């Protein structure tokens, strides 16, 4: 009886009403999903831009040492006699773009002579080698007049080393060393070299000969 009264007060919805409600629920769900989809598309798409720039060239400098060439001593045609000296000049040039410091090593080499007259003595054991800066701040001439009373830049001997290159002016080790010479870019320095044969040299050294090799090593001064 109560159920009959309830149905009379609140009648059951018709089939058409149920279908309409399902369509509303479906429509709401579809609209909600559509909105979520648009939101997702909107938040994941961004406008972007970029630009690349190219810098100028980064170029390194150069350390370039050159010399005037062969070391030619002004030995008389008849050869040296005890008490004589021979002289030679060398231009050291900085043809690079960076200032550098340089050092010089030397080595003497005794020259064999024909067997018929071969002496047993080595001339390198008698010679001394000295160097001077020629020109500004140094000696005025590369000869007896300019060097006899002048203090040498470097000096070695009597007895020159023949076993390998040996430090002479400065030191080729990296960094500033005592005696190293410095040249700015494009500068030139002239060195004077003097070889002396002492008056105490004996007959056994007649007709002997020695050559001297000089090696110049340069390194940058900036940051070093």
């Amino acid at each position: 009886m109560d159920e009959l009264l309830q149905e009379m007060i609140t009648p059951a919805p018709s089939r058409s009403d149920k279908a309409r409600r399902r369509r509303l629920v479906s429509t709401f769900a579809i609209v909600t999903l559509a909105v979520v989809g648009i939101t997702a598309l909107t938040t994941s798409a961004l406008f972007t831009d970029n630009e690349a720039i190219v810098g100028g060239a980064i170029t390194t400098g150069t350390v370039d040492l050159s010399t005037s060439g062969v070391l030619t001593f002004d030995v008389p045609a008849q050869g040296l006699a005890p008490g004589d000296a021979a002289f030679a000049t060398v231009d050291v040039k900085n043809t690079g773009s960076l200032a550098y410091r340089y050092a010089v090593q030397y080595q003497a080499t005794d020259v064999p002579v024909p067997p018929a007259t071969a002496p047993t003595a080595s001339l390198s054991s008698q010679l001394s080698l000295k160097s001077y800066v020629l020109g500004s701040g140094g000696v005025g001439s590369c000869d007896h007049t300019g060097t006899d009373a002048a203090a040498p830049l470097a000096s070695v001997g009597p007895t020159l080393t023949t076993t390998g290159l040996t430090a002479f002016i400065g030191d080729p080790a990296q960094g500033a060393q005592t005696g190293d010479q410095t040249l700015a870019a494009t500068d030139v320095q002239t060195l004077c070299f003097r070889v002396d044969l002492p008056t105490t040299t004996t007959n056994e050294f007649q007709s002997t000969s020695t050559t001297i090799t000089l090696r110049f090593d340069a390194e940058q001064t900036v940051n070093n």
Side-chain angles (χ1 to χ4, degrees), residues 98-114:
L98 299 174
Y100 66 62
R101 70 175 63 90
Y102 74 88
V104 182
Q105 300 176 80
Y106 88 95
Q107 179 180 356
T109 302
D110 291 308
V111 180
V113 295

Side-chain angles (χ1 to χ4, degrees), residues 11-28:
S14 63
R15 290 181 179 180
S16 61
D17 288 339
K18 290 180 180 180
R20 184 170 62 84
R21 289 180 182 176
R22 283 196 296 270
R23 286 197 300 271
L24 288 173
V25 172
S26 299
T27 302
F28 176 76

